[in-house]
Amino acid sequence: MMQTVPISEEQVRQLVDSFYGKIRADADLEPIFERVVAGDWETHLAKMYDFWSSVMLTNGPCKASFAAVHKHKGGLEPDLLDQCLALFGNSCDELLDSETSGLCWLKAAHIAESLKLSLFYRPERSWLRNAA
């Protein structure tokens, strides 16, 4: 189990706001996220405050299915997830001390990898062909 990150609730909010500010300024990512939030950034950001608080502060389970939401919105490709992770890392570096930034980025990297596997990993199903 990953350790709790030494970060406050207020820092989580600042991190989320910074990250989504970068998303909204990115020509490739902004249209994808705009489709997700359908113009209701306030509601989306509130969900993201809760999500990242649950991740960083381990203050309870997040009720949202992160992969399920992204699976149905389309347009998000592996290289764009890497771009999101880089923007998140930039926000961490700008707002947090180096140790806390690294811990936050590591948690985000685990989430990004899990999301990539959930959305894009489709192994060959050779066992089905061999069973026939």
Side-chain angles (χ1 to χ4, degrees), residues 91-119:
S91 291
C92 289
D93 289 344
E94 291 168 5
L95 296 170
L96 306 169
D97 64 77
S98 63
E99 180 183 359
T100 304
S101 175
L103 290 170
C104 288
W105 184 88
L106 185 60
K107 286 192 177 211
H110 284 287
I111 291 167
E113 187 61 27
S114 178
L115 191 54
K116 279 184 190 179
L117 290 172
S118 171
L119 296 176

Side-chain angles (χ1 to χ4, degrees), residues 17-93:
D17 288 341
S18 173
F19 171 62
Y20 279 98
K22 290 174 182 6
I23 292 288
R24 294 175 85 174
D26 186 283
D28 296 323
L29 295 170
E30 189 276 335
I32 295 167
F33 280 82
E34 188 59 45
R35 283 193 303 271
V36 171
V37 301
D40 188 0
W41 281 97
E42 187 175 319
T43 299
H44 182 72
L45 290 174
K47 289 177 185 176
M48 292 298 94
Y49 299 146
D50 290 345
F51 173 78
W52 285 107
S53 288
S54 73
V55 169
M56 301 300 180
L57 303 170
T58 60
N59 62 1
C62 179
K63 295 176 180 79
S65 173
F66 201 61
V69 168
H70 289 85
K71 188 175 281 191
H72 296 293
K73 296 304 178 182
L76 196 57
E77 297 296 330
D79 61 325
L80 292 176
L81 277 173
D82 292 338
Q83 197 170 328
C84 286
L85 185 58
L87 293 176
F88 189 83
N90 291 343
S91 291
C92 289
D93 289 344

